[in-house]
Amino acid sequence: MNGYFSKMRGNGPSPPRVSWAEIARSWLGSFLGLAALGLIHSTTANLMEASLLFGPFGASAVLLYAAPRSPLAQPRNLIGGHVLSAAVGVALARWMPGSVCPQWLVAAAAVATAIALMHATKTLHPPGGATALVAVIGGTPITGMGFHYVLYPVAAGTLILLGTVLLVNNAIPGRRYPEYWW
């Protein structure tokens, strides 16, 4: 039992803080990337009745602009993680409706299944878990979209994020993206 609790003490000091220049690059990249997404959303939202600006993309921006060299931030992970997780969330929400199963159980199953699928396909992208969760708990505007949610806003928004991160990160001195594609 003592060994179990000793694992909770951690395994060393925290890494040092990044430089102010790196903080500025992360801020600039995420601002430009999400502003582009917001600009496109503001001109298309009325046509599609869905928002391109939703929480999981904010989390993706952290990886893409603050840790662009991370394996979790590469294009395969960004696209595959969001799209597969969205499909899992929609599928479970449709196959396990509230009349059959409590929503909290469907939400847990959606995130856990999305994680397993991302691991199996080498597309692990932590914001994908949120994408699966939103598919289940997003309310009528999201659940009413069915599998269209996978295409818009998820796939469309992910491709816009990828386009902006390629443009922005490679324009900032000291940055390069991606490390690899697939």
Side-chain angles (χ1 to χ4, degrees):
M1 196 66 157
N2 189 27
Y4 174 76
F5 288 109
S6 70
K7 293 179 183 177
M8 296 181 193
R9 282 185 276 179
N11 197 24
S14 65
R17 183 180 63 80
V18 299
S19 68
W20 286 107
E22 186 63 18
I23 292 170
R25 287 190 285 264
S26 297
W27 185 92
L28 179 64
S30 61
F31 174 79
L32 292 174
L34 289 178
L37 195 62
L39 178 63
I40 293 169
H41 164 76
S42 69
T43 59
T44 62
N46 290 337
L47 298 174
M48 302 301 289
E49 296 184 16
S51 177
L52 285 171
L53 288 174
F54 75 131
F57 289 159
S60 289
V62 173
L63 286 169
L64 296 172
Y65 296 105
R69 301 185 73 183
S70 166
L72 303 175
Q74 300 310 306
R76 175 189 179 105
N77 301 73
L78 173 67
I79 297 168
H82 277 298
V83 171
L84 291 174
S85 296
V88 165
V90 171
L92 290 182
R94 293 177 74 87
W95 296 333
M96 301 167 67
S99 60
V100 174
C101 195
Q103 188 181 45
W104 59 266
L105 191 57
V106 178
V111 174
T113 305
I115 290 170
L117 188 58
M118 287 188 286
H119 265 309
T121 58
K122 297 178 11 180
T123 59
L124 191 63
H125 185 68
T131 300
L133 185 62
V134 168
V136 176
I137 67 167
T140 304
I142 297 294
T143 58
M145 295 177 72
F147 283 100
H148 289 114
Y149 169 75
V150 178
L151 298 176
Y152 191 97
V154 175
T158 300
L159 291 175
I160 293 168
L161 276 176
L162 178 61
T164 57
V165 74
L166 286 169
L167 293 173
V168 172
N169 270 351
N170 289 315
I172 296 174
R175 287 277 175 110
R176 174 187 160 169
Y177 183 86
E179 291 297 310
Y180 51 87
W181 279 89
W182 305 104

